[in-house]
Amino acid sequence: EEQLVESGGGLVQPGGSLRLSCAASGFTFGTYSMNWVRQAPGKGLEWVANIKEDGSERKYVDSVKGRFTCSRDNAKNSLYLQMNSLRADDTAVYYCARERAGDIYYYGMDVWGPGTTVFVSS
Amino acid sequence: AIQLTQSPSSLSASVGDRVTITCRASQGMSSALDWYQQKPGKAPKLLIYDASSLETGVPSRFSGSGSGTDFTLTISSLQPEDFATYYCQQFNSYPHPTWTFGQGTKVEIK
């Protein structure tokens, strides 16, 4: 079964740091681009970051640029999100999601983890 | 950046009803438009990709259509398990890669 499981969420003070992990299983992790998507309490979905299959390219939503870093270890089938200088508005459930895309097509985010909750508060 | 506006933001419907949700892009885009279903406390689930392709395992009562700036998700006969929030999402590669979600449409029981 193709599966993603996030971990590393928790309560952190404003200005603090947190590292999220996403463990993949059941598929060849290193052949897929991956995304982080978040959802603030009672709000909609917001794309946060994307990383290419080999980690060579990373993209971020403007609100996290310079604060968040997405990385991956294909040997460990793992995706990471290092979050620094956290703010109250970063409070959300963070999901990792597999992207099904190629050079000339995009077919959506087809596998999602259950999410991990980040709460930024003093 | 492209913005996606879904309408309505919420709707009430009965089992068996035909339901249509619209997603409008702020500018013309490719067909890389997807639809997701999310139930409370759960991760989103991909229903439709590339505007009109049904994801494997998704019931055929779900369908998608559209191109350019206007896209539609239709549920032909609403079932009890379909009460959820639905999101459109687009990927745009020009001038640089961006991923955008609509604000969501909550489908509630009438």
Side-chain angles (χ1 to χ4, degrees), chain A residues 54-115:
Chain A
D54 59 0
S56 60
E57 292 183 39
R58 311 167 200 201
K59 304 294 182 184
Y60 302 93
V61 68
D62 285 348
S63 60
V64 309
K65 284 180 181 176
R67 301 189 300 123
F68 289 13
T69 301
C70 182
S71 62
R72 64 191 296 163
D73 185 337
N74 288 344
K76 294 183 178 180
N77 293 328
S78 292
L79 176 71
Y80 306 101
L81 187 67
Q82 177 66 43
M83 304 186 296
N84 299 330
S85 303
L86 281 161
R87 313 186 302 220
D89 62 358
D90 294 317
T91 293
V93 176
Y94 284 73
Y95 298 99
C96 62
R98 186 179 81 173
E99 180 171 279
R100 196 170 52 189
D103 288 342
I104 59 171
Y105 70 90
Y106 177 84
Y107 289 166
M109 301 181 199
D110 65 336
V111 180
W112 293 67

Side-chain angles (χ1 to χ4, degrees), chain A residues 6-62:
Chain A
E6 304 91 342
S7 60
L11 173 64
V12 60
Q13 292 187 338
S17 298
L18 211 55
R19 188 195 197 206
L20 305 184
S21 298
C22 171
S25 60
F27 64 96
T28 306
F29 178 71
T31 62
Y32 290 90
S33 292
M34 297 294 295
N35 292 280
W36 287 99
V37 175
R38 68 183 178 183
Q39 187 169 37
K43 303 297 184 183
L45 301 171
E46 180 184 36
W47 170 78
V48 174
N50 172 277
I51 185 168
K52 286 287 195 183
E53 297 89 330
D54 59 0
S56 60
E57 292 183 39
R58 311 167 200 201
K59 304 294 182 184
Y60 302 93
V61 68
D62 285 348

